[in-house]
């Protein structure tokens, strides 16, 4: 199963969406709860301060409790206030503040020890209140008596403060969201810049402009830089060893073959055929050893110059046939591999097409981008074509490819090996327009560019 790779931009987008849609709402909720808890705590402290103010103003006489006409706490003197005060002796009300004159509210009687305060949330007629109760002992010279002081504050007052706070918090959260998105975008661009520089250097290496990565990179990319340079150096040494070995092998085989071909043995037709086969096999194996299969680093090779060179040579070689070449290719079309390998691929296929054609050869090059980037090269002719029952065997290793008529000969073995080395595909079909054979090369680049 192939696991799709998610780009860094999409991953960064996921993080931003998570922050904006999950983290910020959680932060908003947490701050709101903390603020409401602080309001409740402040309400308790305010009611407690007002309660002790009331106690200080109480005058206890033999005729009952006497309170001044104006209380020090201003909230208790207003009729439309949201804070109320009451004093009970046993279960009987003996005094209430001006703010509680129109209040149809009977406080919940809570038994507490003298001097012990009780603060809680209560509900009456579907209205929530915060209630502070304290039982105190009032005394004068002759007697003492217990009285219960009750202060009540509507929860609506807290909710109004919460609404104002939430609106302010929403505004700031919106500003924070914009700021976070901007900072994450800047951070991504800043973090991705070394990767972009590395990508440019890699492309420069592929185009042959530089030989190694030299830029300065963060610590996290230093290991990758060192490994890539080591890979390039190893690949270069390997290619040099291959070239030296192939040169030595070619020189060592050249003289024995020349001697055999000039000997009396070469006069025999069967022996000459076998010598030619040996020569072809040696050339094939030498070329195969030097192909892209041994390359660990593939460069971007423009296709048009290679095609122009091959078609110019074919026009001279097959001038007697007066072949009409039709070529569809752009300057931007490229082959991700070695130029020599591209020359070998196209040269063999076009040469076979020239041998098989009557008068026309067509080459079409296109880079398609659907799910991935794919290079497609089609080479067709107006010759007799390849029989359908022989197409598969034509690409099978070990087949005597030179037995096929119309020019599809030994070069196909080299082409087949080269295509496999680049993990491409080679398909043989019938040419739609010309009627002969059509060879289709496809190389999937997996959106490397």
């Amino acid at each position: 199963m192939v696991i799709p790779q998610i780009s860094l931009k999409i991953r960064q987008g996921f993080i931003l969406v998570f922050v904006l849609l999950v983290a910020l709402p959680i932060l908003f909720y947490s701050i709101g709860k903390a603020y409401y808890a602080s309001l409740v705590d402040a309400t308790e402290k305010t009611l407690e301060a007002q309660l002790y103010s009331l106690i200080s103003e109480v005058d206890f006489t033999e005729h009952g409790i006497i309170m001044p006409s104006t209380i020090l706490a201003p909230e208790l003197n207003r009729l439309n206030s949201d804070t109320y005060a009451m004093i009970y002796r046993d279960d009987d009300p003996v005094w209430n503040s001006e703010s509680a004159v129109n209040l149809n509210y009977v406080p919940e009687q809570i038994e507490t020890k003298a001097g012990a305060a009780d603060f809680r949330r209560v509900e009456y007629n579907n209205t929530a209140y915060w209630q502070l109760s304290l039982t105190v002992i009032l005394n004068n010279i002759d007697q003492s008596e217990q009285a219960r002081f009750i202060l009540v504050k509507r929860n609506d007052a807290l909710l109004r403060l919460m609404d104002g706070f939430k609106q302010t918090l929403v505004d700031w959260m919106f500003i924070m969201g914009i700021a976070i998105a901007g900072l994450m975008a800047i951070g991504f661009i800043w973090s991705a810049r070394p990767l972009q520089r590395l990508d440019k250097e890699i492309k420069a290496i592929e185009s042959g402009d530089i030989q190694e990565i030299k830029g300065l990179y963060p610590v996290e990319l230093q290991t990758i830089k060192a490994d890539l340079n080591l890979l390039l150096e190893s690949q270069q040494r390997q290619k040099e060893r291959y070239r030296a070995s192939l040169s030595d092998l070619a020189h060592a085989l050249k003289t024995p073959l020349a001697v055999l071909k000039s000997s009396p043995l070469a006069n025999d037709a069967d022996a000459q055929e076998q010598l030619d086969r040996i020569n072809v096999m040696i050339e094939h194996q030498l070329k195969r050893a030097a192909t892209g299969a041994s390359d660990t680093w593939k460069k971007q090779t423009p296709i048009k110059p290679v095609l122009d060179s091959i078609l110019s040579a074919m026009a001279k070689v097959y001038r007697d046939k007066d072949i009409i070449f039709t070529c569809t290719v752009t300057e931007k079309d490229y082959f991700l591999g070695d130029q020599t390998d591209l020359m070998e691929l196209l040269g063999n296929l076009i040469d076979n097409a020239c041998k098989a054609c009557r008068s026309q050869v067509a080459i079409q090059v296109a880079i398609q981008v659907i799910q991935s980037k794919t290079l497609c090269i089609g080479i067709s002719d107006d010759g007799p074509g390849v029989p359908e029952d022989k197409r598969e065997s034509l690409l099978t290793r070990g087949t005597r490819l030179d037995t096929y008529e119309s020019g599809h000969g030994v070069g196909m073995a080299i082409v087949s090996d080269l295509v496999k080395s680049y993990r491409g595909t080679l398909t043989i079909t019938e040419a739609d327009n010309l009627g002969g054979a059509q060879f289709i090369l496809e190389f999937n680049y997996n959106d490397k560019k």
Side-chain angles (χ1 to χ4, degrees), residues 28 34 69 71 81 88 92 117 130 137 151 172 236 239 242 251 263 272 304 313 353 387 407 410 416 420 432 437 447:
F28 178 85
S69 58
I71 306 302
S81 173
Y88 282 76
D92 301 324
W130 290 99
I137 298 176
L151 272 81
W172 278 104
Q236 186 62 33
K239 288 184 70 174
Y242 268 109
H251 182 73
S263 68
Q272 183 65 48
K304 191 174 185 305
V410 293
S416 180
K420 289 179 181 178
D432 294 333
D447 286 331

Side-chain angles (χ1 to χ4, degrees), residues 16 38 44 108 153 163 214 252 338 358 378 424 435-436 442 447:
L16 180 58
S38 68
E44 180 181 7
E108 183 178 350
K153 188 177 184 68
D163 290 341
K214 299 180 180 180
D338 189 73
R358 294 185 178 90
E442 291 185 337
D447 286 331

Side-chain angles (χ1 to χ4, degrees), residues 63-115:
H63 301 292
I65 294 175
I66 299 175
M67 293 290 294
S69 58
T70 302
I71 306 302
L72 291 177
E75 295 89 345
L76 301 178
N77 296 318
R78 296 196 305 267
L79 287 177
N80 296 325
S81 173
D82 53 26
T83 306
Y84 321 102
M86 289 150 277
I87 301 176
Y88 282 76
R89 180 184 291 172
D90 295 327
D91 293 332
D92 301 324
V94 296
W95 179 87
N96 59 266
S97 64
E98 290 291 331
S99 60
V101 170
N102 297 326
L103 179 66
N104 185 19
Y105 171 67
V106 179
E108 183 178 350
Q109 298 295 317
I110 301 168
E111 294 294 334
T112 58
K113 294 181 180 180

Side-chain angles (χ1 to χ4, degrees), residues 266-281:
N267 296 328
D268 183 81
D270 293 335
Q272 183 65 48
E273 180 184 356
Q274 295 303 317
L275 288 174
D276 290 339
R277 284 193 63 197
I278 292 173
N279 188 44
V280 169
M281 290 172 61

Side-chain angles (χ1 to χ4, degrees), residues 397-409:
R397 182 174 178 79
T399 302
R400 284 287 305 276
L401 300 176
D402 54 334
T403 62
Y404 292 108
E405 55 184 323
S406 301
H408 297 291

Side-chain angles (χ1 to χ4, degrees), residues 345-346 349-350 353 361-364 377-381 437-441:
L345 281 170
L346 299 181
L349 291 176
I350 295 175
V361 173
I363 302 99
Q364 292 183 325
I377 302 176
I379 300 173
S380 55
D381 59 66
Q438 182 178 36
F439 291 78
I440 301 175
L441 296 170

Side-chain angles (χ1 to χ4, degrees), residues 89-315:
R89 180 184 291 172
D90 295 327
D91 293 332
D92 301 324
V94 296
W95 179 87
N96 59 266
S97 64
E98 290 291 331
S99 60
V101 170
N102 297 326
L103 179 66
N104 185 19
Y105 171 67
V106 179
E108 183 178 350
Q109 298 295 317
I110 301 168
E111 294 294 334
T112 58
K113 294 181 180 180
D118 179 84
F119 179 75
R120 65 178 61 192
R121 189 178 188 271
V122 298
E123 288 193 9
Y124 181 76
N125 289 338
N126 296 324
T127 303
Y129 300 88
W130 290 99
Q131 176 177 303
L132 177 65
S133 303
L134 178 65
T135 301
V136 299
I137 298 176
L138 302 174
N139 56 65
N140 56 19
I141 298 174
D142 299 326
Q143 61 179 338
S144 63
E145 187 175 355
Q146 284 190 351
R148 182 176 294 113
F149 287 75
I150 299 176
L151 272 81
V152 179
K153 188 177 184 68
R154 290 172 65 95
N155 189 54
D156 295 347
L158 277 68
L159 295 180
R160 285 193 297 271
L161 292 173
M162 275 296 299
D163 290 341
F165 175 76
K166 284 183 177 179
Q167 185 58 50
T168 303
L169 189 59
V170 167
D171 295 340
W172 278 104
M173 285 292 177
F174 181 74
I175 295 173
M176 285 178 59
I178 296 176
I180 289 173
L183 289 175
M184 289 186 69
I186 294 172
F188 176 76
I189 294 173
W190 187 37
S191 301
R193 190 165 295 173
L195 295 175
Q196 294 172 346
R197 292 203 312 269
L198 181 62
D199 182 61
K200 287 182 179 179
E201 288 208 66
I202 291 174
K203 289 180 179 178
I205 292 173
E206 290 177 346
S207 62
D209 295 335
I210 60 176
Q211 299 300 321
E212 64 177 353
I213 299 173
K214 299 180 180 180
L216 297 177
Y217 295 97
V219 177
E220 294 80 3
L221 296 179
Q222 287 294 336
T223 302
I224 296 177
K225 172 187 172 182
D227 290 343
L228 287 175
N229 282 333
L230 183 62
L231 177 64
L232 290 168
E233 184 181 352
S234 173
Q235 185 255 359
Q236 186 62 33
R237 288 199 305 267
Q238 186 182 37
K239 288 184 70 174
E240 290 176 357
R241 285 198 301 268
Y242 268 109
R243 289 170 182 168
S245 299
L246 292 174
S247 177
D248 294 343
L249 181 59
H251 182 73
L253 294 175
K254 183 178 180 181
T255 302
L257 277 176
V259 171
L260 288 174
K261 283 190 174 185
S262 61
S263 68
L265 184 64
N267 296 328
D268 183 81
D270 293 335
Q272 183 65 48
E273 180 184 356
Q274 295 303 317
L275 288 174
D276 290 339
R277 284 193 63 197
I278 292 173
N279 188 44
V280 169
M281 290 172 61
I282 290 173
E283 289 182 3
H284 168 49
Q285 294 302 328
L286 291 178
K287 289 178 180 179
R288 184 187 176 207
T291 62
S294 64
D295 283 333
T296 55
W297 195 275
K298 298 175 182 178
K299 297 182 179 181
Q300 181 174 312
T301 301
I303 297 176
K304 191 174 185 305
V306 175
L307 266 178
D308 291 343
S309 175
I310 293 174
L311 294 180
S312 176
M314 293 299 167

